[in-house]
Amino acid sequence: MNISKGENKVDAYQHAGYKTKNYNAAAASASKLLKNPKIIARIQELGDVKEKAGIADADEQKQFATAVVRGEMSDRDGKPVPMSVRLKALELLGKMQGLYVNHVETNLSVQPVVIRDDLGEADA
């Protein structure tokens, strides 16, 4: 599905192996295909996969942070990553794994609500 890669509908139609008499015929046939619910769903699926491929998932983030902590990464100049960066990566790795819990103390003073029946019989 070259449409999901940004190719125009006619080029994608032709690259998919469809033979056409001319450009206008290819455009008409491609437009018809692009209205097919199965085609629409597949293009969306491929777009979602492409989008997700560009985002590091949780495991990949943890692996990267671990490599930084272990000193397996270097900076742009090829020098070892400084200890301050490694410690920050260690802190982030711990947060990703839920090792740190923020405790928040609250002191609430709530006055009880008193409901009185003071209307009496005559007001009812």
Side-chain angles (χ1 to χ4, degrees), residues 42-98:
R42 182 64 176 149
I43 290 170
Q44 181 66 44
E45 180 183 320
L46 291 172
D48 290 347
V49 168
K50 180 181 174 185
E51 183 178 316
K52 288 179 184 176
I55 300 171
D57 64 10
D59 285 338
E60 188 176 355
Q61 291 175 26
K62 289 176 186 176
Q63 288 171 353
F64 179 81
T66 300
V68 172
V69 168
R70 292 180 177 164
E72 297 168 358
M73 304 292 288
S74 57
D75 67 10
R76 293 180 190 154
D77 299 327
K79 297 177 184 173
V81 174
M83 184 58 72
S84 61
V85 174
R86 293 170 65 183
L87 290 172
K88 182 65 177 177
L90 183 62
E91 178 184 347
L92 291 173
L93 185 60
K95 286 179 181 179
M96 283 186 246
Q97 295 176 334

Side-chain angles (χ1 to χ4, degrees), residues 1-5 33-50:
M1 289 287 187
N2 292 333
I3 291 278
S4 65
K5 296 177 184 174
L33 270 180
L34 289 174
K35 293 177 184 173
N36 181 319
K38 289 181 181 179
I39 300 292
I40 293 169
R42 182 64 176 149
I43 290 170
Q44 181 66 44
E45 180 183 320
L46 291 172
D48 290 347
V49 168
K50 180 181 174 185

